[in-house]
Amino acid sequence: MSTAPEQPAASPAQSHAAVVYNPIKVDLDALRATVSAAQREAGWGETRWYETSVEDPGEGVTREALDDGAAMVMAAGGDGTIRAVAESLRGTGVPIGLLPSGTGNLLARNLDLTLDNVEESVRNAFSGADRKIDLGVADIERADGSRDRHVFLVMAGLGLDAKMIANTSDKLKERVGWLAYVEAIIRSLRDSNALRMRFTLDDNPPRTLRAHTILIGNCGSLPANILLLPDAAVDDGEFDIVALRPEGLLGWAQIWVKIVWENGVLRRTQVGRKIMGVTKEVRTLRYMKGRQLVVRLERAEDFELDGDSFGDARAVKLTVDPLALTVRIPPEAA
């Protein structure tokens, strides 16, 4: 199920926007000047500004912005800031404008939005169209029995993927971007322990699975042109799920060929798709689809949401909240 973008209603001058920004990720003076020019051009009132912090990465200040009457909230920062803002905008109908920064920009990439033009991103936030997308909801059970809930926009992961993120140096990531994950991958691969889990997908009977990584996606694309989940769509009401089950170097090679060559190259052309029609699926990758996935692990494992580490989880319930977030997109995309 795909939904057409909705054009926003005209915004009277008394309506105002909010900017929730990560002070480490943005050039605040330049962003203020850009927002001020765009709001005047679009006929909006004065924008209000809310700074994130270590204690509040965005959820609390976004709720404050909503209480103050914001008609649209721009998220200026990395994937963590965008995820936190989306968590508080879930189900409100108030649109989020993406002003991406940092190394990932995962949602913006999957929506084919501008990544390196702040002026265009701000202009789209004030004058663009609205598009509703799904959100993922993660209910997490910790090793001590405590529970917490968070949303995600792109992907949740258990296993090697989450270990890699937990092992990545924030300082190195700031300096060299996604290259920082290379060192983390090498360190994570030294851990040969596979996940052992019992899972239930939708109303199907429980099953057991052994895998190095399981990824639950609302979107399919990662940086470096990697199309991990080729059938994933942000508004279809379903997760696309993949379990990686390599056995030795040959298994990892099969995964690399499938994801980088077939998904990233062949799938993008008509001739390539014909070639793919005669290739065989590999045992090292298991794809699934569903609206809800419940996973109980043999022991607590690293867990990540949208590229950020969320500690250890003993069990997780991942549910799609259909069309729960409104995103501003360029008007021509409508």
Side-chain angles (χ1 to χ4, degrees):
M1 176 185 65
S2 180
T3 58
E6 302 173 2
Q7 294 288 353
S11 300
Q14 63 265 28
S15 293
H16 74 269
V19 177
V20 174
Y21 67 95
N22 182 335
I24 299 174
K25 299 282 188 180
V26 303
D27 181 340
L28 186 56
D29 291 339
L31 183 58
R32 281 185 179 275
T34 300
V35 168
S36 180
Q39 78 186 17
R40 288 196 302 271
E41 181 182 343
W44 285 61
E46 191 66 26
T47 299
R48 302 185 188 182
W49 296 76
Y50 303 82
E51 183 177 311
T52 68
S53 63
V54 174
E55 295 76 20
D56 180 4
E59 295 96 330
V61 289
T62 301
R63 289 193 295 270
E64 183 181 342
L66 293 174
D67 290 342
D68 291 341
M72 183 264 294
V73 180
M74 288 171 274
D79 292 317
T81 303
I82 291 170
R83 192 210 62 77
V85 172
E87 186 159 309
S88 291
L89 291 181
R90 174 190 174 197
T92 65
V94 175
I96 182 173
L98 304 181
L99 310 183
S101 179
T103 56
N105 307 318
L106 296 175
L107 180 62
R109 290 174 189 273
N110 279 273
L111 294 176
D112 294 324
L113 301 182
T114 300
L115 298 178
D116 55 3
N117 188 325
V118 176
E119 290 81 5
E120 184 177 332
S121 296
V122 171
R123 190 164 54 249
N124 287 334
F126 278 108
S127 304
D130 285 347
R131 179 180 180 182
K132 291 184 180 297
I133 68 170
D134 302 335
L135 281 177
V137 181
D139 289 291
I140 310 166
E141 180 183 319
R142 306 296 181 179
D144 63 1
S146 62
R147 299 170 184 265
D148 50 288
R149 171 179 288 180
H150 299 280
V151 307
F152 62 100
L153 300 112
V154 178
M155 212 166 287
L158 284 158
L160 178 62
D161 164 71
K163 286 186 176 74
M164 177 194 75
I165 289 167
N167 285 333
T168 302
S169 163
D170 289 337
K171 290 183 179 179
L172 186 61
K173 191 164 66 170
E174 288 177 11
R175 291 206 315 269
V176 300
W178 275 81
L179 288 176
Y181 290 106
V182 174
E183 179 198 10
I185 290 171
I186 293 170
R187 280 192 280 147
S188 299
L189 285 173
R190 292 172 186 159
D191 186 349
S192 59
N193 292 325
L195 301 176
R196 291 174 175 82
M197 68 190 82
R198 188 172 178 84
F199 74 93
T200 304
L201 182 62
D202 293 340
D203 298 325
N204 297 307
R207 303 185 67 177
T208 59
L209 177 67
R210 182 178 182 274
H212 279 71
T213 298
I214 183 166
L215 294 162
I216 303 91
N218 188 37
C219 308
S221 294
L222 299 176
N225 203 34
I226 295 174
L227 187 57
L228 180 65
L229 299 166
D231 296 324
V234 293
D235 54 7
D236 63 355
E238 288 187 308
F239 290 133
D240 282 63
I241 303 159
V242 62
L244 279 60
R245 304 181 294 171
E247 295 180 2
L249 289 176
L250 178 60
W252 284 112
Q254 288 177 327
I255 289 173
W256 184 258
V257 168
K258 183 71 176 179
I259 292 174
V260 176
W261 174 243
E262 292 189 17
N263 291 351
V265 179
L266 294 184
R267 187 177 289 271
R268 299 179 189 275
T269 67
Q270 186 174 359
V271 173
R273 287 192 291 274
K274 289 182 179 179
I275 295 172
M276 285 183 61
V278 298
T279 61
K280 295 181 179 179
E281 293 297 318
V282 294
R283 293 183 63 254
T284 52
L285 286 171
R286 177 176 178 180
Y287 285 101
M288 298 175 279
K289 272 183 175 288
R291 299 176 304 279
Q292 180 175 280
L293 178 69
V294 180
V295 176
R296 180 160 293 278
L297 299 149
E298 189 177 73
R299 62 177 184 274
E301 299 280 359
D302 288 299
F303 182 59
E304 64 92 0
L305 295 173
D306 290 347
D308 284 332
S309 178
F310 271 73
D312 289 345
R314 183 65 187 268
V316 292
K317 181 172 77 171
L318 303 147
T319 310
V320 176
D321 192 354
L323 307 181
L325 183 68
T326 304
V327 183
R328 281 288 166 91
I329 62 172
E332 61 270 18

